[in-house]
Amino acid sequence: MSDVREHADDIHEQFSDHIDVSVDEIEDRLTTLVDEYKVPIDEARRSVTNHYLEEADLEREELAGGSSEDVRIEDVDEPEQWIDLTAKVIELWDPRSDAVAQVGLLGDPTGTIKFTKWAKSDLPALEEGGVYELRNVVTDEYQGRYSVKLNSTTVIEELDEDIEVGNDTSVVEGALVDMQSGSGLIKRCPKEDCTRVLQNGRCNEHGEVEGEFDLRIKAVVDDGIDAHEVIFDKEATEELTGLSLEEAKEMAMDALDTTIVADEIAEDIVGTYYRIEGPTFGRYVLADDVEELDGTVDAEDLLIKARSM
Ligand SMILES: [Zn+2]
């Protein structure tokens, strides 16, 4: 079945209780928009849906769930799927761009997932700790990590209940044996919702951009059996090293060299034992809670192991 036909089917299903319209007629409308007016299919779908909403004198909320499927967070494993989630807002983060109204972390009993809500979607604000039914959100993927986008077709319903959020955190206890490149004082792409780390001032997606400084550590922690890749974000890095982003910038400016920051950090932490707890994303553990343990290691010994990973 073609993409357009599938969308037509979905729309038909949504409206079949309300108006007398055939799948063919809906498909014709979609095809006209997509083929003649070169409208992207999602937009075409929105436009056609709006047309029938008006015809049926309905509010979007009154429509049946339609195509999107009720899924659990752990089952999100494909980008560009339209899904429904029932989830709790665990954390809200500061949006890095005006195009984003809200960004944060959602959780359900099976795990957690990042969400982004576009400013132009004009949706009500989600609150930290709130539990919501989110219908018609779109999945996205970046470097093996999934997220969901709330868009102008998304329907948000606050639920008067609490849900338990699944524990997908890992604990790694071992020696920090290596710090990988891309650690220390880095620059990220400032384009909306991009945040990719720049290589020589260039973003993979957006080319040459004026980057924004950030602090991060990508470390290898060896627990004696396996080597784990652990990422410390700015907050975790500042806490671990006692070095703030501002201080790191000053340090780099004084030395006219940003790599001095990674060198200083490495000197401080490589060879130390830690207990690190945090959520797992793909092959990375994100350091949320870090505790220094007693003992030091011969980093050289363990480095050999880390390099053979
Ligand atoms: Zn970019």
Side-chain angles (χ1 to χ4, degrees):
M1 194 158 43
S2 79
D3 212 22
V4 171
R5 184 75 185 181
E6 256 177 68
H7 284 288
D9 244 7
D10 287 344
I11 296 172
H12 182 257
E13 201 181 304
Q14 286 183 298
F15 283 96
S16 54
D17 288 348
H18 303 286
I19 45 173
D20 189 23
V21 62
S22 68
V23 180
D24 287 339
E25 196 185 322
I26 298 169
E27 189 180 4
D28 280 348
R29 278 185 188 275
L30 287 171
T31 306
T32 305
L33 289 170
V34 171
D35 289 354
E36 280 175 43
Y37 296 98
K38 307 295 173 208
V39 173
I41 181 68
D42 287 345
E43 220 170 284
R45 176 174 175 155
R46 205 147 45 225
S47 159
V48 170
T49 302
N50 285 338
H51 169 84
Y52 289 118
L53 279 172
E54 212 162 289
E55 196 176 308
D57 199 19
L58 284 171
E59 294 296 324
R60 189 176 297 280
E61 287 75 7
E62 296 173 72
L63 282 185
S67 67
S68 57
E69 218 188 318
D70 224 344
V71 303
R72 298 182 309 170
I73 287 172
E74 71 173 355
D75 296 327
V76 174
D77 57 2
E78 219 182 319
E80 283 167 53
Q81 301 296 303
W82 290 78
I83 60 167
D84 298 346
L85 286 179
T86 300
K88 181 174 185 169
V89 177
I90 302 169
E91 262 181 354
L92 290 172
W93 306 323
D94 289 334
R96 284 165 175 274
S97 150
D98 289 344
V100 175
Q102 285 189 300
V103 57
L105 199 65
L106 297 172
D108 78 359
T110 69
T112 57
I113 194 164
K114 177 186 162 183
F115 80 93
T116 302
K117 194 182 84 189
W118 301 115
K120 64 172 188 247
S121 66
D122 213 20
L123 292 167
L126 301 180
E127 280 173 39
E128 226 167 56
V131 175
Y132 300 90
E133 194 183 320
L134 305 165
R135 292 198 294 273
N136 257 349
V137 301
V138 192
T139 62
D140 195 11
E141 187 254 32
Y142 175 59
Q143 290 190 345
R145 264 180 79 172
Y146 292 97
S147 65
V148 290
K149 310 267 196 232
L150 280 54
N151 56 81
S152 57
T153 73
T154 300
V155 178
I156 299 176
E157 195 183 325
E158 183 163 11
L159 303 179
D160 190 20
E161 61 181 84
D162 199 10
I163 57 173
E164 205 176 309
V165 172
N167 184 2
D168 63 347
T169 60
S170 321
V171 177
V172 180
E173 232 181 83
L176 197 154
V177 294
D178 195 16
M179 221 170 81
Q180 299 175 316
S181 65
S183 296
L185 189 61
I186 56 164
K187 276 191 164 180
R188 291 186 186 279
C189 178
K191 295 276 187 214
E192 64 185 56
D193 208 36
C194 179
T195 74
R196 285 176 177 82
V197 174
L198 305 184
Q199 309 285 346
N200 300 320
R202 290 184 62 84
C203 167
N204 253 344
E205 181 76 23
H206 299 104
E208 210 154 304
V209 287
E210 193 64 50
E212 285 170 355
F213 279 115
D214 195 9
L215 264 184
R216 168 178 84 167
I217 298 170
K218 286 171 80 179
V220 178
V221 176
D222 191 306
D223 64 7
I225 300 164
D226 283 318
H228 302 268
E229 289 176 82
V230 180
I231 293 187
F232 298 76
D233 66 6
K234 179 168 82 75
E235 282 70 34
T237 301
E238 288 180 338
E239 206 177 305
L240 181 72
T241 62
L243 182 72
S244 71
L245 176 59
E246 285 312 309
E247 287 165 341
K249 281 198 270 191
E250 274 168 35
M251 191 189 282
M253 258 188 299
D254 286 345
L256 298 172
D257 182 7
T258 55
T259 60
I260 187 170
V261 176
D263 293 343
E264 287 277 331
I265 291 175
E267 204 168 304
D268 197 26
I269 64 172
V270 172
T272 309
Y273 278 100
Y274 293 102
R275 181 185 186 279
I276 295 156
E277 198 176 323
T280 314
F281 284 106
R283 56 186 227 260
Y284 296 108
V285 177
L286 302 191
D288 226 5
D289 195 40
V290 182
E291 193 188 330
E292 189 174 333
L293 304 174
D294 289 337
T296 49
V297 257
D298 184 352
E300 277 308 307
D301 269 5
L302 287 163
L303 256 181
I304 295 161
K305 208 175 192 176
R307 290 211 178 103
S308 67
M309 257 176 55

